[in-house]
Amino acid sequence: MIFPRPVVGDWYRMPGGETFEVVALDEQESTIEIQHFDGTVEELEFEEWRQRAEAGEIESAAEPEDWSGSLDVAPADDSVGARQLSS
C-alpha cells in the first residue's frame, strides 16, 4: 500500500478533517515536526507516521484557503495610520 510521505511544506489531514503542515524533518532523530491549523506544534516518530498513514489516519490535503489560522498575528490598528496620513 502506498501512503503519503512527509514533505516539509505539504499539508495533510487526520480523521475528522483536522489539517496540519509538516514543518521539519529530523533524519538523525527520526522525527517529523508538524503544526496543526490552530498553531499547535507536535512531533511524530517516523514509525508512528508510517503506522498512522498505513491505517488511513493521515492523508494528503490541499493547503487551507485561509492558512493564517495558524499564525498568532493581531489585527493592525488602522486608526493610527489614518491619523498619520491626515496630518
Side-chain angles (χ1 to χ4, degrees):
M1 174 180 207
I2 297 175
F3 56 88
R5 294 176 43 141
V7 176
V8 173
D10 282 2
W11 286 81
Y12 302 87
R13 179 180 299 110
M14 290 187 178
E18 181 181 353
T19 58
F20 64 92
E21 178 184 12
V22 171
V23 293
L25 297 173
D26 187 334
E27 299 282 338
Q28 290 181 328
E29 297 292 324
S30 297
T31 58
I32 303 161
E33 189 170 302
I34 65 173
Q35 182 173 12
H36 296 273
F37 184 75
D38 68 1
T40 306
V41 176
E42 182 180 356
E43 191 173 89
L44 300 174
E45 303 269 335
F46 283 174
E47 182 62 19
E48 180 183 359
W49 176 282
R50 186 188 64 75
Q51 290 173 351
R52 292 178 79 174
E54 286 180 347
E57 296 176 9
I58 296 176
E59 59 185 31
S60 295
E63 179 179 296
E65 201 170 296
D66 178 18
W67 52 266
S68 63
S70 63
L71 302 176
D72 187 15
V73 178
D77 183 0
D78 290 337
S79 63
V80 173
R83 278 182 283 171
Q84 289 174 343
L85 289 175
S86 64
S87 299

